[in-house]
Amino acid sequence: MASEKIQLEVVTPERRVLKEDVDEVQVPGLNGYLGILPGHAPLISRLQTGELSYRKSQGTYFLSIVSGYCEVLPDKVTVLAERAERGDEVELERALASKTRAEKRLADVSNPEIDFARASGSLQRALARISACHKGHSGLG
């Protein structure tokens, strides 16, 4: 019989962001979000920048993550991310300023010095951080 919980561990090069027993996990895979429940078949997936969510009996919680990998086992999900922040750790003003800067760069299509791939990545990171922050303060999805 499969366990009713699955252990979620989120690690970056700097720190362990989270290690908790949860009911469900959703990660931003390269081809869309992956939903993971206890007893899931083993897999390894590359992750894109986005929002990781997990559900516990108390509610749904959010993290912003910047690319990485995810290993899924029937009783454990390990996320190795370049960067990760819990929603309640995000500095909203800083994330909003980053979003504004990235949007300005992307709007300046005539400037040959703009690195559009980098600006697009900055915008994706800012949007994930803002979304996790808004949802993280409520504890609900």
Side-chain angles (χ1 to χ4, degrees):
M1 181 171 152
S3 170
E4 293 181 22
K5 298 282 185 184
I6 190 165
Q7 184 181 78
L8 171 61
E9 186 169 13
V10 179
V11 181
T12 70
E14 291 83 29
R15 66 186 179 122
R16 180 190 309 170
V17 177
L18 181 77
K19 184 176 183 179
E20 292 191 36
D21 289 334
V22 303
D23 299 313
E24 174 185 8
V25 180
Q26 286 196 12
V27 296
L30 286 182
N31 295 317
Y33 279 79
L34 303 169
I36 304 161
L37 295 170
H40 196 288
L43 69 86
I44 294 179
S45 177
R46 200 163 147 217
L47 301 178
Q48 65 179 331
T49 297
E51 212 177 78
L52 177 150
S53 66
Y54 62 97
R55 187 175 51 79
K56 293 176 29 172
S57 56
Q58 301 95 331
T60 303
Y61 304 88
F62 300 86
L63 288 87
S64 69
I65 66 165
V66 175
S67 66
Y69 293 89
C70 176
E71 177 189 43
V72 177
L73 299 172
D75 61 345
K76 184 175 184 180
V77 177
T78 304
V79 173
L80 306 173
E82 185 178 316
R83 280 187 259 159
E85 277 181 287
R86 292 190 332 222
D88 59 2
E89 296 174 327
V90 173
E91 294 177 37
L92 183 57
E93 295 78 21
R94 191 169 155 235
L96 289 169
S98 180
K99 174 184 174 277
T100 300
R101 279 191 311 274
E103 288 173 335
K104 273 183 151 180
R105 286 185 190 116
L106 290 170
D108 192 3
V109 294
S110 63
N111 187 341
E113 294 181 17
I114 299 290
D115 182 343
F116 288 97
R118 185 172 177 203
S120 178
S122 292
L123 181 59
Q124 287 178 324
R125 288 189 297 277
L127 291 172
R129 294 180 73 228
I130 292 165
S131 180
C133 179
H134 286 303
K135 293 176 182 178
H137 286 296
S138 68
L140 300 172

